Amino acid sequence: MGRIDEVTGDGHSELLDDGPIEITFAYRDGDLAILKAIRQTSSTAC
């Protein structure tokens, strides 16, 4: 198993007008990560 480093920072999420959610992580060392999730619809039952 790989090493896991602890990080500190801040984050927030926003539901965008066109449907997806955008999640932003701002790390204390200056790095920034933005994730965008889009719901996929399916015509088949799960």
Side-chain angles (χ1 to χ4, degrees):
M1 185 169 191
R3 179 182 153 155
I4 300 173
D5 294 328
E6 185 175 327
V7 297
T8 59
D10 192 17
H12 69 274
S13 62
E14 178 181 0
L15 184 58
L16 303 176
D17 290 337
D18 57 346
I21 188 169
E22 190 171 271
I23 305 164
T24 302
F25 299 100
Y27 298 102
R28 187 172 181 191
D29 66 0
D31 288 341
L32 182 69
I34 300 174
L35 308 174
K36 190 173 189 178
I38 301 170
R39 181 184 297 210
Q40 287 188 323
T41 58
S42 173
S43 60
T44 60
C46 295

